[in-house]
Amino acid sequence: MNTSILTVVLSGVLLAGQNAAPTWQTSYSQAHQQGMQLKKPLVVVFGSGANGTAKMIGEGATAAEANQLLAGKYVCVYIDTASDAGKKLAASFEITGGVGVVISDRGGSLQAFWHQGDMTSQQLVRSLQKYSETERVIRTTENNSTIRSSFYQPSGVSEGGI
């Protein structure tokens, strides 16, 4: 009898962990403070409308994995860019298209990841896994921008040399 009760309780606990839904805050400053206190990275999702986080996370098994990572490893903030305050905060993060994701380091002082525009749920999960690693040291911000270097001939120099 005790074994069957224990099995039911453990099953419920395991299923609850699989269906964990993150708590989305709407105050960046409060979430930032909470992240620093808990030593958890902050994930800031910029979107439009009431279901902006659902659009970013998607559906299916990958969404379940993203939700589990978000609920367990991050302090989550949703900024609605349809509002004036949301537009202003998005601009301060240089999110100009109204949709994006920013992930901080565990101390809350550095941006570990910046992405503007839509992401696939697989890209989101990979990023969430990467930046939730406790041993990861953040030195620079990774982003989805392509950096192109062009080298030009100095002015006043002919093609034949100096």
Side-chain angles (χ1 to χ4, degrees):
M1 178 82 169
N2 288 340
T3 305
S4 60
I5 292 172
L6 182 61
T7 303
V8 169
V9 169
L10 286 176
S11 298
V13 168
L14 291 174
L15 289 174
Q18 289 176 346
N19 296 325
T23 301
W24 290 97
Q25 298 188 39
T26 56
S27 169
Y28 173 78
S29 59
Q30 287 177 357
H32 186 259
Q33 288 296 323
Q34 184 181 7
M36 289 189 328
Q37 288 171 350
L38 298 174
K39 301 281 189 236
K40 285 186 173 184
L42 198 69
V43 61
V44 184
V45 172
F46 295 91
S48 182
N51 62 347
T53 57
K55 291 177 194 172
M56 178 65 73
I57 295 169
E59 297 178 356
T62 309
E65 188 175 359
N67 280 324
Q68 190 172 9
L69 284 164
L70 288 165
K73 307 270 184 177
Y74 288 92
V75 174
C76 305
V77 184
Y78 175 63
I79 304 300
D80 185 357
T81 57
S83 72
D84 289 338
K87 286 177 192 170
K88 185 176 179 181
L89 188 59
S92 73
F93 279 91
E94 298 180 1
I95 302 290
T96 58
V99 176
V101 175
V102 175
I103 300 175
S104 77
D105 68 340
R106 292 184 169 279
S109 59
L110 298 172
Q111 285 185 11
F113 179 74
W114 178 94
H115 180 94
Q116 180 165 251
D118 292 327
M119 293 178 79
T120 67
S121 53
Q122 291 87 4
Q123 289 172 317
L124 179 62
V125 166
R126 278 194 301 270
S127 296
L128 292 173
Q129 288 169 336
K130 183 176 184 177
Y131 298 108
S132 68
E133 296 170 355
T134 55
E135 64 279 354
R136 180 164 298 282
V137 177
I138 305 302
R139 291 189 177 90
T140 61
T141 303
E142 291 186 29
N143 63 52
N144 64 326
S145 298
T146 55
I147 299 172
R148 188 175 92 187
S149 297
S150 299
F151 297 98
Y152 295 99
Q153 181 174 325
S155 62
V157 177
S158 66
E159 285 186 25
I162 298 180

